[in-house]
Amino acid sequence: MATPVPHTTNKEPEHLPLYGPGPVYVFTIVALTAAGIALSAAGFAPTADAGAARLPLMALGAALVAGGVALWVAAVKGARIDDGILENRLVTQGAYAIVRNPIYSAFMLACTGALLICGNLWLLALPPVFWAFLTMLMKATEERWLRERYGREYERYCARVNRCIPWFPQG
């Protein structure tokens, strides 16, 4: 006779997923950025040279890459997000005080910077795609989880801190 399988319940997890949808987002935008730059460099993508704006765009691109790296470090090391997740604490200080998704935003900034450095203006169609993908992904996953877990506290946080673009908090 077969041994009965114990019944499992859909018990609420102890904490939010440590990685969530982040790897999917990061892999997707890094792959799109790399593919766009590679296709452009190989002559397989249409090009629109920045002309006289090339040097300022490269400088802006380098600043965005550096800003993305700084934001990532501030979010991961400074705000210690992993500790907040494991402790079931809503992290709203440090980098999380200027953007709700600083790790994902850091990659979005760095990829946008790389596209600016590349100098093909056609590739600047990708950053709005990055933003839309991040917005849809967060609404469908992490924001829903956080709203269920933290309720009104999370709603107040959302009202004052932007989802994707680092900015000064409202009120």
Side-chain angles (χ1 to χ4, degrees), residues 64-81:
L64 286 175
V65 170
V69 170
L71 183 59
W72 184 88
V73 169
V76 173
K77 301 296 183 188
R80 303 178 56 89
I81 186 61

mmCIF file of all heavy atoms in Angstrom, residues 64-81:
data_model
loop_
_atom_site.group_PDB
_atom_site.id
_atom_site.type_symbol
_atom_site.label_atom_id
_atom_site.label_comp_id
_atom_site.label_asym_id
_atom_site.label_seq_id
_atom_site.Cartn_x
_atom_site.Cartn_y
_atom_site.Cartn_z
ATOM 1 N N LEU A 64 25.051 58.736 -16.696
ATOM 2 C CA LEU A 64 23.956 57.812 -16.374
ATOM 3 C C LEU A 64 24.485 56.441 -15.938
ATOM 4 O O LEU A 64 23.952 55.834 -15.007
ATOM 5 C CB LEU A 64 23.002 57.656 -17.555
ATOM 6 C CG LEU A 64 22.078 58.839 -17.831
ATOM 7 C CD1 LEU A 64 21.268 58.591 -19.102
ATOM 8 C CD2 LEU A 64 21.165 59.104 -16.654
ATOM 9 N N VAL A 65 25.519 55.957 -16.605
ATOM 10 C CA VAL A 65 26.121 54.674 -16.199
ATOM 11 C C VAL A 65 26.671 54.808 -14.775
ATOM 12 O O VAL A 65 26.403 53.959 -13.916
ATOM 13 C CB VAL A 65 27.222 54.227 -17.185
ATOM 14 C CG1 VAL A 65 28.003 53.045 -16.627
ATOM 15 C CG2 VAL A 65 26.611 53.862 -18.534
ATOM 16 N N ALA A 66 27.412 55.874 -14.511
ATOM 17 C CA ALA A 66 27.963 56.084 -13.170
ATOM 18 C C ALA A 66 26.857 56.249 -12.138
ATOM 19 O O ALA A 66 26.931 55.697 -11.029
ATOM 20 C CB ALA A 66 28.881 57.314 -13.168
ATOM 21 N N GLY A 67 25.805 56.982 -12.507
ATOM 22 C CA GLY A 67 24.669 57.146 -11.596
ATOM 23 C C GLY A 67 23.969 55.828 -11.325
ATOM 24 O O GLY A 67 23.538 55.557 -10.201
ATOM 25 N N GLY A 68 23.845 54.999 -12.346
ATOM 26 C CA GLY A 68 23.232 53.679 -12.169
ATOM 27 C C GLY A 68 24.040 52.811 -11.224
ATOM 28 O O GLY A 68 23.484 52.151 -10.334
ATOM 29 N N VAL A 69 25.356 52.830 -11.383
ATOM 30 C CA VAL A 69 26.221 52.056 -10.484
ATOM 31 C C VAL A 69 26.089 52.575 -9.049
ATOM 32 O O VAL A 69 25.929 51.802 -8.099
ATOM 33 C CB VAL A 69 27.693 52.095 -10.958
ATOM 34 C CG1 VAL A 69 28.631 51.506 -9.914
ATOM 35 C CG2 VAL A 69 27.840 51.351 -12.287
ATOM 36 N N ALA A 70 26.120 53.904 -8.894
ATOM 37 C CA ALA A 70 26.003 54.497 -7.553
ATOM 38 C C ALA A 70 24.656 54.158 -6.920
ATOM 39 O O ALA A 70 24.580 53.842 -5.725
ATOM 40 C CB ALA A 70 26.199 56.006 -7.634
ATOM 41 N N LEU A 71 23.586 54.209 -7.700
ATOM 42 C CA LEU A 71 22.259 53.890 -7.177
ATOM 43 C C LEU A 71 22.177 52.426 -6.769
ATOM 44 O O LEU A 71 21.619 52.096 -5.716
ATOM 45 C CB LEU A 71 21.188 54.226 -8.227
ATOM 46 C CG LEU A 71 19.738 54.020 -7.817
ATOM 47 C CD1 LEU A 71 19.377 54.865 -6.590
ATOM 48 C CD2 LEU A 71 18.819 54.365 -8.989
ATOM 49 N N TRP A 72 22.756 51.538 -7.570
ATOM 50 C CA TRP A 72 22.752 50.111 -7.230
ATOM 51 C C TRP A 72 23.492 49.872 -5.918
ATOM 52 O O TRP A 72 22.991 49.167 -5.038
ATOM 53 C CB TRP A 72 23.385 49.296 -8.361
ATOM 54 C CG TRP A 72 23.313 47.820 -8.118
ATOM 55 C CD1 TRP A 72 22.299 46.989 -8.467
ATOM 56 C CD2 TRP A 72 24.280 47.009 -7.430
ATOM 57 N NE1 TRP A 72 22.577 45.699 -8.049
ATOM 58 C CE2 TRP A 72 23.788 45.694 -7.408
ATOM 59 C CE3 TRP A 72 25.505 47.276 -6.831
ATOM 60 C CZ2 TRP A 72 24.477 44.642 -6.815
ATOM 61 C CZ3 TRP A 72 26.202 46.223 -6.241
ATOM 62 C CH2 TRP A 72 25.689 44.936 -6.240
ATOM 63 N N VAL A 73 24.655 50.464 -5.778
ATOM 64 C CA VAL A 73 25.437 50.302 -4.541
ATOM 65 C C VAL A 73 24.654 50.846 -3.350
ATOM 66 O O VAL A 73 24.577 50.207 -2.294
ATOM 67 C CB VAL A 73 26.825 50.977 -4.661
ATOM 68 C CG1 VAL A 73 27.530 51.045 -3.311
ATOM 69 C CG2 VAL A 73 27.683 50.236 -5.681
ATOM 70 N N ALA A 74 24.034 52.019 -3.520
ATOM 71 C CA ALA A 74 23.263 52.617 -2.427
ATOM 72 C C ALA A 74 22.079 51.735 -2.038
ATOM 73 O O ALA A 74 21.752 51.611 -0.855
ATOM 74 C CB ALA A 74 22.774 54.007 -2.833
ATOM 75 N N ALA A 75 21.449 51.096 -3.023
ATOM 76 C CA ALA A 75 20.278 50.256 -2.737
ATOM 77 C C ALA A 75 20.671 48.936 -2.091
ATOM 78 O O ALA A 75 20.049 48.497 -1.125
ATOM 79 C CB ALA A 75 19.499 49.996 -4.022
ATOM 80 N N VAL A 76 21.697 48.290 -2.627
ATOM 81 C CA VAL A 76 22.059 46.956 -2.158
ATOM 82 C C VAL A 76 22.890 47.012 -0.881
ATOM 83 O O VAL A 76 22.618 46.308 0.082
ATOM 84 C CB VAL A 76 22.807 46.175 -3.264
ATOM 85 C CG1 VAL A 76 23.341 44.858 -2.743
ATOM 86 C CG2 VAL A 76 21.880 45.939 -4.444
ATOM 87 N N LYS A 77 23.893 47.858 -0.893
ATOM 88 C CA LYS A 77 24.811 47.915 0.260
ATOM 89 C C LYS A 77 24.335 48.912 1.315
ATOM 90 O O LYS A 77 24.316 48.610 2.494
ATOM 91 C CB LYS A 77 26.231 48.277 -0.199
ATOM 92 C CG LYS A 77 26.812 47.297 -1.192
ATOM 93 C CD LYS A 77 26.989 45.940 -0.578
ATOM 94 C CE LYS A 77 27.651 44.999 -1.586
ATOM 95 N NZ LYS A 77 27.684 43.638 -1.121
ATOM 96 N N GLY A 78 23.961 50.114 0.864
ATOM 97 C CA GLY A 78 23.581 51.162 1.810
ATOM 98 C C GLY A 78 22.268 50.891 2.524
ATOM 99 O O GLY A 78 22.181 50.977 3.742
ATOM 100 N N ALA A 79 21.218 50.587 1.766
ATOM 101 C CA ALA A 79 19.888 50.381 2.365
ATOM 102 C C ALA A 79 19.711 48.969 2.900
ATOM 103 O O ALA A 79 18.751 48.691 3.604
ATOM 104 C CB ALA A 79 18.798 50.690 1.340
ATOM 105 N N ARG A 80 20.615 48.069 2.543
ATOM 106 C CA ARG A 80 20.583 46.687 3.014
ATOM 107 C C ARG A 80 19.200 46.056 2.795
ATOM 108 O O ARG A 80 18.573 45.536 3.705
ATOM 109 C CB ARG A 80 21.026 46.603 4.466
ATOM 110 C CG ARG A 80 22.434 47.194 4.672
ATOM 111 C CD ARG A 80 22.893 47.165 6.111
ATOM 112 N NE ARG A 80 22.863 45.850 6.690
ATOM 113 C CZ ARG A 80 23.862 44.974 6.656
ATOM 114 N NH1 ARG A 80 24.980 45.287 6.077
ATOM 115 N NH2 ARG A 80 23.743 43.786 7.223
ATOM 116 N N ILE A 81 18.774 46.088 1.537
ATOM 117 C CA ILE A 81 17.446 45.601 1.181
ATOM 118 C C ILE A 81 17.231 44.136 1.552
ATOM 119 O O ILE A 81 16.145 43.754 1.977
ATOM 120 C CB ILE A 81 17.138 45.849 -0.320
ATOM 121 C CG1 ILE A 81 15.689 45.482 -0.653
ATOM 122 C CG2 ILE A 81 18.095 45.099 -1.217
ATOM 123 C CD1 ILE A 81 14.654 46.252 0.073
#
